[in-house]
């Protein structure tokens, strides 16, 4: 996104409160044209289209061109490239990485294929909205690298890229601040450990992203504050979440809205097992789903996590507003459940217009040590209590949620290639994308 656009957008929208969860502007602090004074083309630094390993050319272009020229762009032209040497691009300011080609992983070494670290005023994008990394994870399932990792960087964006079949996670945002992620398609396999986007840090805006996998869709981890996630399409995905939460958790001021989940594990999961610290001041608004296993799932006894040290993470002031959707079997897996920590009960859990039902026309909700308003939540002073299971009827406000034309009926197999998709232009039924695709500019 261009500098003028993001800052004008923030000024206009923040005034109306719709960007209230952010603490300031996000994205690069200078325009893209100002970063194109010098073009650091990998073909001039030892690379070639069809290369067996474009990694060294990317590293050389960065060290010998980007680091010596402020206002430069590292450029991978259209074409196909293999990559077997992972690269860490550390320390540049006022630069861009324009990846218009397709890079395919050919080495099973772990780590991260591309790390951008300590960057400031940075943009990672594809001008043709077709630049991609093909991880071919089926050849190195849960043993190879993650695809992209952004580490302790400030004032940056990543957009118009396609990430496919990572052996591990696809995009990891580690600490840092003031970043924007948008207009991306992520295609992973139907298996755990295939996370779409994992983020922790301060003041991040993630929007207009499609994720297919069987683990995290877009998930906030600790420590984090001022995170806005919206217009997300979890298309046969594990679903979005906050967690896993462990010792000294510190997450606050988080807003998810306009999240559509087609199939998958859950509409949304807050997960922990033991631990300490807090998760507070969260709004989860405008969620719709079709055919998920779980619906609204708060599980502080989550079996997928080893018990962490501490008496439990304190969950407080979390609002669930305007939810509509169905789970596959509402008795086996409740549409709504709050399984809170007995030592630190959940407080101020607020449900407003949460209308979740079951494809079997029979469902229960479960609450334990959970306080607030709505569903089976208890009012009054917080204290521990055993899980209460309540049979429910179809909510009066329930409607069959709309769909998107690209909805998948199943996920992708773990033992065969996953094709590279195109980036869609709609990520939530009835809403346009916030920023046009780069190829349309």
């Amino acid at each position: 996104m261009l500098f003028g656009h993001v800052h004008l957008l923030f000024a206009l929208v923040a005034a109306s409160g719709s960007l209230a969860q952010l603490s300031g502007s996000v994205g690069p602090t200078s325009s893209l044209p100002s970063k194109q004074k010098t073009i650091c083309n990998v073909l001039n630094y030892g690379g070639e289209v069809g290369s067996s390993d474009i990694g060294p050319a990317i590293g050389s272009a960065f060290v010998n061109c980007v680091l010596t020229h402020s206002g430069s762009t590292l450029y991978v032209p259209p074409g196909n490239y293999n990559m077997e040497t992972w690269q860490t691009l550390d320390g540049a300011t006022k630069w861009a990485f324009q990846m218009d080609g397709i890079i395919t992983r050919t080495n099973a070494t772990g780590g991260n294929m591309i790390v951008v670290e300590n960057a400031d005023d940075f943009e990672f994008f594809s001008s043709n909205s077709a630049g991609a990394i093909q991880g071919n994870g089926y050849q190195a399932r849960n043993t190879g690298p993650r695809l992209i990792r952004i580490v302790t960087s400030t004032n940056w964006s990543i957009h118009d890229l396609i990430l496919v079949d990572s052996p591990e996670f696809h995009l990891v945002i580690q600490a840092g601040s003031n970043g924007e992620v948008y207009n991306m398609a992520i295609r992973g396999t139907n298996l755990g450990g295939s996370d779409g986007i994992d983020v922790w840090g301060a003041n991040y805006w993630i929007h207009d992203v499609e994720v297919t996998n069987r683990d995290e869709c877009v998930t906030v981890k600790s420590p984090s504050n001022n995170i806005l996630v919206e217009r997300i399409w979890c298309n046969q995905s594990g679903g979005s979440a906050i967690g896993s939460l462990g010792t000294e958790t510190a997450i606050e001021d988080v807003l998810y809205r306009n999240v559509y989940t087609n199939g998958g594990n859950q509409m949304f999961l807050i997960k922990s097992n033991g631990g300490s610290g807090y998760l507070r001041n969260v709004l989860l608004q405008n969620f719709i789903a079709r055919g998920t296993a779980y619906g609204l799932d708060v599980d502080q006894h989550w079996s997928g996590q080893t018990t962490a040290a501490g008496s439990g993470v304190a969950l407080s002031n979390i609002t669930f507003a305007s939810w509509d959707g169905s789970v596959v079997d509402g008795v086996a897996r409740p549409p709504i459940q709050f399984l809170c920590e007995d030592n630190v009960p959940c407080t101020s859990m607020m449900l407003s217009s949460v209308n979740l039902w079951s494809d079997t026309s029979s469902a229960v909700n479960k609450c334990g040590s959970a306080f607030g308003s709505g569903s089976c939540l208890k009012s009054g002073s917080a204290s521990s209590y055993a899980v209460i299971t309540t049979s429910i009827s179809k909510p009066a406000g329930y409607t069959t949620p709309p769909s998107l034309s690209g909805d998948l009926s199943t996920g992708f197999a773990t033992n065969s290639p996953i094709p590279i998709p195109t980036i869609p232009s709609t990520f939530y039924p009835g809403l346009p994308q916030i920023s046009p695709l780069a190829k349309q500019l």
Side-chain angles (χ1 to χ4, degrees):
M1 180 179 289
L2 296 181
F3 163 73
H5 186 186
V6 71
H7 285 261
L8 176 61
L9 178 68
F10 179 82
L12 292 175
V13 184
S16 69
S18 59
L19 281 189
Q21 215 55 49
L22 298 176
S23 60
S25 60
V26 298
T29 53
S30 65
S31 67
L32 181 58
S34 72
K35 299 180 180 70
Q36 296 173 322
K37 296 176 182 177
T38 302
I39 303 300
C40 307
N41 191 327
V42 294
L43 303 186
N44 298 327
Y45 290 87
E48 58 183 24
V49 175
S51 170
S52 62
D53 185 11
I54 197 62
I58 291 174
S60 178
F62 180 77
V63 170
N64 297 303
C65 185
V66 172
L67 287 179
T68 59
H69 296 85
S70 179
S72 59
T73 292
L74 195 163
Y75 180 46
V76 178
N80 293 296
Y81 309 82
N82 289 340
M83 184 172 178
E84 61 179 33
T85 306
W86 313 154
Q87 298 298 314
T88 296
L89 313 178
D90 187 1
T93 299
K94 193 178 180 182
W95 69 290
F97 189 161
Q98 181 177 336
M99 194 180 81
D100 289 346
I102 297 172
I103 295 175
T104 299
R105 177 203 62 80
T106 55
N107 188 341
T109 302
N112 303 274
M113 288 182 65
I114 297 174
V115 177
V116 177
E117 189 167 7
N118 300 317
D120 182 57
D121 188 10
F122 166 69
E123 187 163 353
F124 193 169
F125 74 106
S126 167
S127 69
N128 57 13
S129 304
I133 298 180
Q134 170 57 269
N136 278 338
Y138 74 98
Q139 299 171 340
R141 188 65 66 206
N142 289 334
T143 61
R146 294 162 174 82
L147 300 189
I148 297 176
R149 194 177 196 100
I150 312 292
V151 181
T152 54
S153 296
T154 56
N155 306 310
W156 59 271
S157 67
I158 181 170
H159 62 93
D160 288 88
L161 293 173
I162 306 165
L163 305 180
V164 180
D165 197 16
S166 178
E168 295 278 355
F169 306 162
H170 290 80
L171 173 61
V172 177
I173 301 164
Q174 178 181 334
S177 61
N178 306 337
E180 182 181 10
V181 180
Y182 63 101
N183 290 354
M184 295 188 66
I186 296 174
R187 282 276 200 267
T189 192
N190 197 34
L191 185 72
S194 56
D195 297 20
I197 299 176
D198 292 333
V199 57
W200 63 98
N203 202 44
Y204 282 127
W205 186 18
I206 300 171
H207 61 94
D208 298 299
V209 174
E210 180 194 5
V211 176
T212 300
N213 59 1
R214 196 54 62 184
D215 211 314
E216 318 287 12
C217 182
V218 179
T219 291
V220 173
K221 298 184 177 292
S222 178
S224 290
N225 63 273
N226 298 99
I227 308 293
L228 172 59
V229 180
E230 61 181 326
R231 303 191 193 193
I232 303 300
W233 183 9
C234 303
N235 190 6
Q236 291 296 334
S237 166
S240 291
I242 295 177
S244 304
L245 308 178
T247 304
E248 297 183 353
T249 292
I251 303 177
E252 61 185 337
D253 300 329
V254 175
L255 169 58
Y256 278 78
R257 66 182 173 199
N258 302 324
V259 176
Y260 171 50
T261 303
N262 167 51
N265 297 355
Q266 75 272 336
M267 290 180 72
F268 198 86
L269 170 63
I270 297 174
K271 52 184 175 177
S272 66
N273 189 339
S276 61
Y278 59 84
L279 167 65
R280 63 195 183 200
N281 304 338
V282 177
L283 173 59
L284 305 170
Q285 183 180 40
N286 297 341
F287 277 63
I288 58 175
R290 304 167 67 91
T292 58
Y294 289 94
L296 187 170
D297 188 6
V298 176
D299 190 350
Q300 292 197 272
H301 307 279
W302 188 57
S303 61
Q305 174 184 0
T306 301
T307 303
S311 58
V313 178
L315 309 186
S316 64
N317 194 27
I318 302 177
T319 298
F320 307 81
S322 300
W323 288 44
D324 193 9
S326 63
V327 299
V328 173
D329 185 337
V331 174
R333 296 181 177 89
I336 298 172
Q337 68 173 13
F338 287 85
L339 307 180
C340 295
E341 173 59 55
D342 292 336
N343 295 313
V344 189
C346 299
T347 60
S348 298
M349 303 290 106
M350 304 297 178
L351 275 62
S352 175
S353 298
V354 175
N355 300 305
L356 303 183
W357 188 228
S358 171
D359 292 343
T360 61
S361 297
S362 180
V364 299
N365 287 339
K366 292 184 178 181
C367 289
S369 298
F371 291 81
S373 65
S375 185
C376 50
L377 294 164
K378 283 192 174 184
S379 59
S381 299
S383 60
S384 65
Y385 64 88
V387 174
I388 298 172
T389 301
T390 306
S391 295
I392 63 170
S393 301
K394 185 167 102 172
Y398 170 78
T399 59
T400 301
S403 60
L404 290 174
S405 61
D407 280 345
L408 298 171
S409 58
T410 61
F412 289 94
T414 62
N415 58 355
S416 59
I418 297 176
I420 296 173
T422 57
I423 301 173
S425 58
T426 301
F427 300 84
Y428 184 88
L431 292 180
Q433 63 193 137
I434 294 171
S435 304
L437 296 176
K439 68 182 180 181
Q440 298 171 339
L441 297 175

